[in-house]
Amino acid sequence: GESVGLHLPTLSVQEGDNSIINCAYSNSASDYFIWYKQESGKGPQFIIDIRSNMDKRQGQRVTVLLNKTVKHLSLQIAATQPGDSAVYFCAENISGGSYIPTFGRGTSLIVHP
Amino acid sequence: NAGVTQTPKFQVLKTGQSMTLQCAQDMNHEYMSWYRQDPGMGLRLIHYSVGAGITDQGEVPNGYNVSRSTTEDFPLRLLSAAPSQTSVYFCASSLISGKSSYEQYFGPGTRLTVT
């Protein structure tokens, strides 16, 4: 079946560097994408979302890029901080679906001070 | 607002026992859902509800029942616990009407071990 996946299970960066977390999706009907952050022992927390009619969306220190041609999205975190260490999930919604997103497996971001 | 609350935080069951995981939200959200999260895996949808009195199956519904008698509460019942149901369970809710963003609010999770 079609699913949301991630390229890298673990990403290690130095404090202050920029981080890029990638996500691939295979369903061309997906039109809404969300990034979540999950800290150890907690539930996922919404970071940012993007619709398929957009290529880029910026938040506070985060930017999501969507490339519909290759069905790829990325989450960029500027000036990564130790508090950014967590597992990051991308999730997709499909037009006409249930508004309940499908989650990928997650990428663990480790920030070294 | 308390947001999404889940009880208990931890639970150990023996194979064959039944129990109910509680979930409540005080944000008047229409959508509520249950996920399970296993090591190295993402969140897999068990059941969801689009409003009081309406429930539907997700990706992995077998062995679980749900009901939605009120907007606030969405309990998850394990009928006869099996070791394969050892997992962390998350409840989530979201507000859909009149919104363009469908972010979900997650509870803190229930860590369940079945021996």
Side-chain angles (χ1 to χ4, degrees), chain A residues 32 34 36 38 41-46 49 51 87 89 93 97-106, chain B residues 31-33 35 37 40-43 45 48 50 90 94 96 99-104 106-108 111:
Chain A
Y32 178 67
I34 314 167
Y36 285 90
Q38 185 178 25
K42 297 183 179 179
Q45 183 178 16
F46 174 90
D49 58 2
R51 293 195 168 279
V87 176
F89 293 96
N93 262 100
S98 64
Y99 297 111
I100 304 292
T102 300
F103 284 79
R105 288 173 54 207
Chain B
Y31 276 58
M32 296 187 75
S33 50
Y35 294 87
Q37 185 175 34
M41 303 283 288
L43 289 94
L45 182 65
Y48 66 98
V50 303
F90 289 100
S94 54
I96 302 299
K99 292 205 34 147
S100 59
S101 171
Y102 307 127
E103 68 174 284
Q104 289 181 290
F106 284 83
R111 188 174 295 273

Side-chain angles (χ1 to χ4, degrees), chain A:
Chain A
E2 296 175 332
S3 62
V4 176
L6 291 171
H7 291 307
L8 296 174
T10 303
L11 177 64
S12 292
V13 300
Q14 290 295 128
E15 182 178 0
D17 287 352
N18 295 333
S19 302
I20 300 176
I21 300 170
N22 296 304
C23 180
Y25 67 97
S26 57
N27 193 333
S28 57
S30 296
D31 63 354
Y32 178 67
F33 304 89
I34 314 167
W35 282 99
Y36 285 90
K37 172 186 180 183
Q38 185 178 25
E39 296 176 65
S40 181
K42 297 183 179 179
Q45 183 178 16
F46 174 90
I47 302 173
I48 192 168
D49 58 2
I50 188 168
R51 293 195 168 279
S52 58
N53 60 354
M54 302 171 69
D55 298 323
K56 178 180 179 179
R57 191 168 188 209
Q58 288 185 292
Q60 187 177 10
R61 280 201 308 118
V62 296
T63 300
V64 56
L65 299 177
L66 176 62
N67 185 329
K68 295 178 286 292
T69 302
V70 296
K71 297 187 181 67
H72 179 271
L73 70 159
S74 65
L75 178 71
Q76 300 179 0
I77 304 173
T80 313
Q81 303 167 0
D84 294 327
S85 293
V87 176
Y88 290 81
F89 293 96
C90 65
E92 64 175 328
N93 262 100
I94 298 171
S95 292
S98 64
Y99 297 111
I100 304 292
T102 300
F103 284 79
R105 288 173 54 207
T107 292
S108 176
L109 176 65
I110 301 171
V111 182
H112 300 283

